[in-house]
Amino acid sequence: MAHRPGKLLSTWWRKWLPMLVDTTLPVRLLLVFVPVGVPGLTDPRRRVLAAALPLFVVLYAFNPFFLEHYAVVIAPAVLLLVVLGARSVEAAFPERPSIAALTTLLIATCALTNFYEINMLLTPDRYPPRISDETFRSKLLRVVNVELAEVLEKPAVVLFRYRKGDPMWEEPVYNTDTAWPDDAPIIRAHDLGERNKEIIDYYAQRQPERHFYLFDRTAGSITPLGTARALREARGKP
């Protein structure tokens, strides 16, 4: 629906334009320099470089998909406008040389604090960090990758229950942490109802103390089920 011609402007304004800005600039604050930098395009070389920005937007308007990394190619054009905008501000106050120092300090600070290492030093207890490279932001995958790891008794198996209406494009079941899934502290699997006994019996024979959990994707809740040994014994099997 978002790719229909009638939705083009709203999709660009609400989704793709913010993605473009976040990809080409360290922080959105620097966006204020972009329009101010347009009068600084006095050199043909500058105009050629800056022309990549409007051409990119016009040409990609016909593309039904837009991902963040597509905008990397116009980062030089956007950064050029930022620098020219800063110079325009400095030229507006020629009697105040401190303006040049302030604009330079602002741009440098915004750029440096956007480094992941520095950002984590400034906000060590914050998750998710302000800097994110997730093209498709998924709360479910963030829960699976980070939050579950902090509350589960390990080793563990998490059975994910899918209900009609849950997003099909968010797939939480994958096991790529280790070369052999049985070596992973957390194993992800689908909730298969009656067939869950197959995976329970498998680990009851090999890793009987592995804890089982049921994750309800719709409710976002997790329920401890017990160890593989306990679940097998509950069915009357030794």
Side-chain angles (χ1 to χ4, degrees), residues 111-148:
L112 290 174
T113 55
N114 200 55
F115 281 106
Y116 182 82
E117 295 80 3
I118 296 178
N119 185 261
M120 290 304 293
L121 290 175
L122 298 175
T123 57
D125 300 324
R126 179 174 178 177
Y127 187 86
R130 183 175 61 84
I131 299 173
S132 173
D133 60 357
E134 294 180 275
T135 299
F136 298 102
R137 291 174 174 82
S138 170
K139 182 179 179 181
L140 173 63
L141 294 183
R142 187 173 294 114
V143 169
V144 171
N145 291 329
V146 179
E147 297 179 17
L148 284 183

Side-chain angles (χ1 to χ4, degrees), residues 17 24 45 53 58 120 164 201 221:
L17 184 60
T24 57
R45 293 170 297 180
L53 175 56
V58 171
M120 290 304 293
K164 185 177 180 179
D201 290 344
S221 61

Side-chain angles (χ1 to χ4, degrees), residues 21-22 25-31 110-111 113-114 130:
V21 173
D22 291 340
L25 290 175
V27 294
R28 295 183 182 183
L29 174 63
L30 297 181
L31 190 62
C110 291
T113 55
N114 200 55
R130 183 175 61 84

Side-chain angles (χ1 to χ4, degrees), residues 15-230:
K15 184 178 180 181
W16 293 352
L17 184 60
M19 288 171 59
L20 185 151
V21 173
D22 291 340
T23 301
T24 57
L25 290 175
V27 294
R28 295 183 182 183
L29 174 63
L30 297 181
L31 190 62
V32 298
F33 289 117
V34 172
V36 186
V38 174
L41 298 174
T42 56
D43 187 286
R45 293 170 297 180
R46 296 178 181 178
R47 290 195 289 268
V48 169
L49 181 56
L53 175 56
L55 286 175
F56 178 91
V57 174
V58 171
L59 293 177
Y60 262 100
F62 299 97
N63 193 332
F65 301 103
F66 185 85
L67 303 179
E68 283 177 319
H69 61 272
Y70 293 176
V72 171
V73 297
I74 59 168
V78 177
L79 295 175
L80 171 65
L81 290 172
V82 170
V83 173
L84 294 178
R87 288 187 175 181
S88 296
V89 172
E90 298 166 11
F93 301 93
E95 72 284 357
R96 298 183 182 179
S98 59
I99 297 297
L102 289 175
T103 55
T104 302
L105 180 62
L106 174 62
I107 294 175
T109 301
C110 291
L112 290 174
T113 55
N114 200 55
F115 281 106
Y116 182 82
E117 295 80 3
I118 296 178
N119 185 261
M120 290 304 293
L121 290 175
L122 298 175
T123 57
D125 300 324
R126 179 174 178 177
Y127 187 86
R130 183 175 61 84
I131 299 173
S132 173
D133 60 357
E134 294 180 275
T135 299
F136 298 102
R137 291 174 174 82
S138 170
K139 182 179 179 181
L140 173 63
L141 294 183
R142 187 173 294 114
V143 169
V144 171
N145 291 329
V146 179
E147 297 179 17
L148 284 183
E150 297 177 352
V151 300
L152 300 183
E153 289 192 63
K154 304 176 190 65
V157 173
V158 181
L159 303 175
F160 289 87
R161 174 169 292 172
Y162 172 84
R163 300 179 188 273
K164 185 177 180 179
D166 291 337
M168 292 185 294
W169 55 86
E170 291 184 315
E171 177 53 74
V173 176
Y174 58 91
N175 297 283
T176 58
D177 300 333
T178 57
W180 181 244
D182 289 359
D183 296 332
I186 300 176
I187 296 172
R188 306 166 182 87
H190 286 290
D191 170 33
L192 300 180
E194 286 296 321
R195 290 192 59 193
N196 288 343
K197 62 184 179 182
E198 297 177 22
I199 191 172
I200 292 173
D201 290 344
Y202 176 88
Y203 284 109
Q205 296 173 4
R206 294 165 176 82
Q207 299 175 357
E209 298 307 317
R210 188 173 280 271
H211 297 266
F212 275 73
Y213 295 85
L214 177 65
F215 186 89
D216 190 313
R217 293 180 55 180
T218 303
S221 61
I222 186 164
T223 304
L225 302 177
T227 63
R229 175 189 285 121

